[in-house]
């Protein structure tokens, strides 16, 4: 202790601690010098301006320190310190820091640094711990571990409290970060009077002129026409004055044009539904990776004006998952061996849920599901599934076009639909709706009583037993409210995939379509494809049977396009002698599950 000892100073400060890194490092050096014995001299300074929660392999590589004009000669960061400690000609004998939390905020990284220095026979001391070379080593280790545990506890506790505050902030409808395209920040005084007096504010979202209209138009094109992101971007770029492109925070990165990534981000952003949403991306640990939706934090109810209806947002993203990897248009694939297109591409699904792909055998087009090809080495992914399931395109088209002729453009389409609805068993749907209305009334009652309790609690003494009782009652009601909300969510999830009885307004859409007597089965593929896309045609094979379920959606805003697409097909094929609606054919058809080259079955 009396001999001269060469000491290396190890420091660290974070730019995120709301402190001045310059002053913090000066304080750390001063405290370390004060704790050293008289004959010990600091000969090198190693410090970083970075988070103490970083992994050891990433530490000491930043250059943030250059921004703060720290008046301490820097010999490197923690990585340089560890590298020099291994060198036989190192300049120091021991290392000192202000506290063990300055080495690392997490115990694992702190122990790793300590272990590497110990292997190099370089002791690590802290100014807030006794500096001794003798005595009970066990006691020193105990104190060191306690300090490391406290350091990790403090940072985790701070993060948890900060996280809870941000979640509460979002659930009350306040925005975090830059407003998304289509919205602007509506600044309001802070709800805490003390903070409001200091000029602090919060912000909510409000629609912004043409940008808001653009977001709604993008969702409309995506939902009703099923357009791809690149196709939507091309349409937007045709009229940039009407559809202004988004502007990035960094003006140097501005393209002044729409790209498919920009469209994708809008379609995927749940804030456009009117709800406030947080934690969609991992801001640090995963470098902006999109988190699993179960980790997203939602407000309990809509907090700003929606630009995309919630039901439309859910349906758009459900379709996106179903169509992943599929192009929007029906042009030839860019693969050099491509020779033809398939009119039902991306619209036909196997009973296992997988999308069926087009293929040609013996000059006949088929749609096939071969799960083994996409799941090599994972037999559990297609257990019990036939090796291959083939459906003939010509038979499918015959059934589908007959469906359009009878049920969409036929003379008796309304009568046929009403006859089907009479046999529809929607008792489960009605019971679910009644239960949901009952739960909603219960929610309204709970919220009314909570507001009453809040008014009484605000006027009472916080230490008064009556006020404490009000708080306890409020908390119980809040737990009850969360339970009711969970029940509502379960009801909505249970009824998501059910077929709902169309309303009278839905049925009236049929009256807005023209009556056409055409044979769609012989229409050009280009016009058929356009008609199928506008009406969102979906064909699903029923399990292991030879039947398919054909479903379409009539978009109320795009009925003129539906009619125009059908009329164009009528201009290219001869009309039938009788109205398809008058033939009154059965709506149940065989899908013709067959091997390639086998003859088609009659309907």
């Amino acid at each position: 202790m009396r001999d001269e000892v060469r000491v290396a100073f190890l420091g660290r400060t974070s730019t995120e601690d709301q402190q001045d890194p310059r002053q913090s490092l000066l304080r750390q050096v001063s405290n370390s010098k004060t704790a050293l014995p008289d004959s010990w001299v600091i000969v090198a300074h190693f410090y970083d301006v970075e988070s103490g929660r970083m992994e050891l392999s990433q530490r000491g590589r930043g250059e943030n320190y250059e921004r703060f004009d720290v008046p301490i000669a820097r010999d490197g960061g923690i990585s340089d310190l560890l590298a020099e400690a291994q060198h036989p000609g190192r300049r120091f004998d021991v290392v000192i820091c202000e506290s063990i939390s300055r080495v690392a905020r997490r115990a694992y990284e702190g122990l790793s640094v300590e272990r590497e220095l110990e292997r190099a026979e370089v002791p690590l001391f802290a100014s807030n711990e006794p500096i001794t070379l003798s005595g009970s080593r066990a006691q020193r280790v105990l104190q060191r571990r306690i300090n490391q545990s406290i350091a990790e506890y403090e940072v985790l506790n701070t993060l948890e409290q900060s996280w809870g505050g941000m979640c509460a902030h979002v659930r009350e409808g306040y925005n975090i970060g830059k407003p998304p395209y289509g919205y602007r920040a509506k600044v309001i005084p802070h709800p805490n009077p003390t903070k409001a007096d200091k000029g602090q504010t919060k912000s909510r979202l409000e629609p912004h002129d043409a940008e808001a209209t653009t977001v709604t138009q993008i969702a409309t094109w995506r939902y009703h026409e099923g357009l791809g992101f690149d196709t939507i971007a091309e349409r937007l770029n045709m009229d940039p004055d009407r559809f202004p492109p988004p502007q990035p925070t960094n003006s140097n990165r501005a393209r002044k044009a729409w790209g498919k990534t920009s469209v994708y981000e809008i379609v995927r952003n749940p804030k456009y539904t009117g709800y406030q949403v947080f934690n969609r991306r991992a801001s640090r640990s995963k470098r902006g990776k999109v988190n699993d939706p179960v980790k997203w934090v939602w407000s309990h109810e809509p907090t700003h004006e929606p630009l995309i209806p919630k039901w439309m947002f859910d349906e758009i993203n459900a379709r996106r998952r179903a169509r992943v990897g599929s192009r929007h248009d029906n042009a030839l694939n860019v693969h050099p061996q491509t020779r033809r297109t398939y009119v039902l591409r991306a619209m036909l699904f196997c009973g296992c849920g997988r999308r069926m792909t087009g293929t040609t055998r013996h000059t006949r087009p088929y749609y096939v599901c071969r799960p083994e090809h996409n799941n090599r080495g994972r037999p559990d992914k297609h257990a019990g599934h036939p090796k291959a399931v083939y459906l003939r395109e010509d038979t499918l088209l015959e059934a589908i076009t007959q469906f359009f002729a009878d049920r969409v453009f036929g003379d008796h389409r309304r009568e046929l639909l009403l006859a089907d609805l009479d046999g529809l068993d929607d008792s489960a749907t009605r019971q679910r709706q009644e239960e949901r209305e009952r739960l909603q009334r219960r929610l309204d009652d709970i919220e009314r009583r909570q507001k009453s309790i809040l008014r009484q609690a605000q006027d009472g003494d916080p230490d008064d037993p009556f006020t404490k009782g009000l708080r306890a009652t409020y908390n119980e009601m809040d737990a009850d409210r969360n339970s009711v909300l969970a029940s509502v969510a379960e009801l909505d999830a249970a009824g998501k995939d059910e077929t709902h009885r169309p309303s009278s307004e839905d049925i009236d859409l049929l009256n807005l379509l023209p009556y056409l007597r055409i044979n769609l089965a012989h229409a050009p593929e280009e016009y058929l494809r356009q008609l199928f896309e506008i009406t969102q045609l979906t064909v699903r094979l029923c399990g292991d049977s030879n039947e398919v379920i054909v479903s379409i959606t009539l978009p109320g805003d795009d009925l003129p396009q539906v009619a125009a697409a059908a009329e164009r097909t009528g201009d290219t094929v001869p009309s039938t002698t009788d109205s398809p609606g008058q033939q009154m054919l059965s709506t149940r058809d065989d899908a013709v599950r067959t091997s390639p080259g086998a003859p088609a079955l009659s309907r």
Side-chain angles (χ1 to χ4, degrees):
M1 299 288 288
R2 292 189 297 272
D3 297 333
E4 181 175 308
V5 177
R6 298 171 300 171
V7 182
F9 165 76
L10 175 59
R12 182 198 59 78
T13 183
S14 174
T15 59
E16 300 164 341
D17 291 339
Q18 295 186 354
Q19 62 180 352
D20 182 355
R22 183 177 186 275
Q23 296 296 325
S24 175
L25 288 169
L26 289 174
R27 186 201 70 239
Q28 293 177 42
V29 172
S30 176
N31 290 340
S32 298
K33 287 182 177 179
T34 302
L36 291 176
D38 293 338
S39 59
W40 292 28
V41 180
I42 295 180
V43 297
H45 299 84
F46 299 88
Y47 60 85
D48 296 300
V49 180
E50 62 187 14
S51 171
R53 300 183 68 243
M54 295 175 62
E55 295 184 4
L56 189 57
S57 60
Q58 300 175 351
R59 292 281 305 277
R61 303 181 184 278
E63 298 180 353
N64 286 336
Y65 67 93
E66 296 179 347
R67 300 165 45 211
F68 300 101
D69 191 25
V70 180
I72 301 174
R74 185 177 184 270
D75 296 283
I78 190 172
S79 57
D80 301 300
L81 170 70
L82 295 176
E84 185 171 344
Q86 306 296 328
H87 197 277
R90 59 177 176 260
R91 294 172 291 169
F92 50 86
D93 304 305
V94 301
V95 176
I96 189 169
C97 58
E98 182 185 41
S99 66
I100 200 66
S101 64
R102 293 299 170 183
V103 176
R105 282 289 187 179
R106 296 195 295 190
Y108 176 79
E109 275 72 26
L111 288 170
S112 299
V113 172
E114 190 175 349
R115 180 59 175 162
E116 288 199 36
L117 292 176
E118 183 179 321
R119 288 175 177 171
E121 298 183 351
V122 177
L124 173 62
F125 297 105
S127 64
N128 62 344
E129 299 174 4
I131 300 179
T132 60
L133 299 178
S134 61
S136 174
R137 183 172 182 272
Q139 186 65 30
R140 295 199 305 271
V141 170
L142 175 62
Q143 183 173 354
R144 173 67 56 82
R145 301 298 173 259
I146 292 175
N147 289 339
Q148 287 174 327
S149 299
I150 293 174
E152 186 162 6
Y153 163 78
E154 288 178 345
V155 68
L156 290 177
N157 185 55
T158 301
L159 288 172
E160 289 173 359
Q161 291 180 347
S162 174
W163 172 261
M166 296 182 77
C167 291
H169 176 89
V170 169
R171 291 191 177 105
E172 291 182 355
Y174 299 110
N175 186 57
I176 294 178
K178 178 184 176 181
Y181 176 89
Y183 286 111
R184 286 293 182 269
K186 180 182 180 181
V187 179
I188 59 177
H190 199 286
N192 186 320
T194 303
K195 293 185 177 182
D197 293 341
K198 295 179 181 180
Q200 297 185 25
T201 61
K202 288 194 174 187
S203 65
R204 295 186 183 273
L205 297 178
E206 60 180 1
H208 179 68
D209 303 337
E211 292 186 2
T213 305
T214 302
V215 172
T216 304
Q217 183 63 71
I218 289 174
T220 301
W221 283 336
R222 181 68 174 173
Y223 178 78
H224 291 303
E225 299 185 36
L227 299 182
F229 301 131
D230 50 353
T231 306
I232 294 177
E234 292 175 0
R235 284 195 180 185
L236 296 173
N237 287 327
M238 293 175 63
D239 192 353
D241 294 332
R242 180 183 176 189
F243 308 118
Q247 298 296 324
T249 304
N250 185 354
S251 58
N252 295 327
R253 297 175 55 236
R255 294 178 53 193
K256 298 182 180 180
W258 284 92
K260 64 179 181 180
T261 303
S262 302
V263 177
Y264 170 82
E265 290 296 334
I266 288 177
V267 171
R268 288 283 290 156
N269 194 337
K271 287 188 177 182
Y272 293 117
T273 64
Y275 288 84
Q276 194 60 255
V277 187
F278 172 61
N279 197 41
R280 291 181 57 232
R281 294 183 179 272
S283 58
R284 298 182 187 172
S285 58
K286 301 296 183 180
R287 298 184 179 180
K289 179 181 178 182
V290 177
N291 290 327
D292 190 300
V294 300
K295 298 181 180 180
W296 297 358
V297 179
W298 292 69
S299 60
H300 294 306
E301 55 188 17
T303 59
H304 50 267
E305 183 178 339
L307 302 182
I308 304 177
K310 180 66 166 58
W311 62 268
M312 182 183 290
F313 176 85
D314 293 339
E315 181 66 22
I316 287 174
N317 285 279
R319 292 181 192 168
R320 183 191 66 85
R321 289 187 291 270
R323 292 177 59 96
V324 62
S326 178
R327 294 169 289 113
H328 160 63
D329 57 27
N330 205 36
L332 287 175
N333 196 302
V334 295
H335 195 281
Q337 295 183 358
T338 301
R339 295 293 180 267
R340 61 157 299 150
T341 59
Y342 297 89
V343 67
L344 297 178
R345 184 183 59 78
M347 300 177 180
L348 184 58
F349 295 84
C350 180
C352 66
R354 297 178 179 87
R355 188 174 63 239
M356 305 184 75
T357 57
T359 186
T360 302
R361 292 291 184 271
H362 306 291
T363 70
R364 288 183 182 274
Y366 287 81
Y367 295 90
V368 60
C369 178
R370 286 188 290 240
E372 185 179 4
H373 282 205
N374 297 328
N375 295 280
R376 291 184 176 89
R378 298 183 295 177
D380 57 303
K381 296 293 184 179
H382 50 88
H385 194 286
K387 184 177 181 179
V389 175
Y390 288 88
L391 298 181
R392 280 180 52 168
E393 182 180 86
D394 55 353
T395 306
L396 285 170
L397 284 178
E398 188 177 357
I400 293 170
T401 55
Q402 189 65 60
F403 168 81
F404 272 88
D406 292 343
R407 300 305 183 108
V408 182
F409 302 112
D411 293 342
H412 299 281
R413 57 198 179 192
R414 187 182 182 92
E415 291 82 349
L416 291 171
L417 177 58
L418 292 176
D420 285 343
L421 293 179
D422 290 339
L424 179 64
D425 183 10
D426 61 346
S427 57
T429 302
R430 285 187 281 104
Q431 291 178 1
R432 187 175 293 105
Q433 182 61 28
E434 292 173 358
E435 177 65 12
R436 198 184 191 288
E437 293 175 355
R438 185 188 68 81
L439 291 174
Q440 186 60 50
R441 290 193 298 271
R442 185 175 173 186
L443 274 177
D444 296 340
D445 180 64
I446 291 175
E447 292 178 356
R448 178 184 57 78
R449 292 162 62 190
Q450 281 184 318
K451 291 179 180 179
S452 176
I453 289 176
L454 281 177
R455 286 194 297 269
Q456 297 179 64
Q458 289 173 351
D459 298 333
D461 185 352
D463 297 327
D464 185 82
F466 177 73
T467 304
K468 293 180 179 179
L470 288 176
R471 289 201 186 97
T473 303
Y474 182 90
N475 293 335
E476 292 174 358
M477 295 174 63
D478 197 56
D480 188 22
R481 177 175 178 273
N482 291 333
S483 176
V484 174
L485 286 172
S487 299
V488 171
E490 291 178 0
L491 286 174
D492 292 342
K496 182 178 180 181
D497 298 329
E498 286 191 355
T499 301
H500 299 281
R501 178 183 291 272
S503 65
S504 58
E505 291 80 5
D506 296 331
I507 298 175
D508 288 341
L509 290 178
L510 291 173
N511 297 334
L512 302 179
L513 290 173
Y515 293 98
L516 300 176
R517 300 183 180 184
I518 56 177
N519 191 343
L520 295 175
H522 300 290
E525 181 178 310
E526 175 187 357
Y527 296 144
L528 273 183
R529 178 76 186 186
Q530 183 179 6
L531 177 63
F532 293 164
E533 286 180 344
I534 296 177
T535 55
Q536 304 167 35
L537 172 69
T538 301
V539 184
R540 294 187 180 275
L541 182 62
C542 299
D544 297 330
S545 69
N546 287 337
E547 298 173 356
V548 296
I549 297 177
V550 179
S551 60
I552 66 168
T553 300
L554 289 180
D557 295 336
D558 292 339
L559 285 183
Q561 289 89 326
V562 175
E567 289 171 346
R568 278 195 295 271
T569 63
D571 294 337
T572 59
V573 296
S575 301
T576 57
T577 56
D578 297 319
S579 169
Q582 295 173 348
Q583 298 172 10
M584 300 294 287
L585 296 178
S586 170
T587 61
R588 177 167 175 158
D589 298 291
D590 286 334
V592 192
R593 181 200 301 262
T594 180
S595 300
L601 301 179
S602 59
R603 289 184 292 115

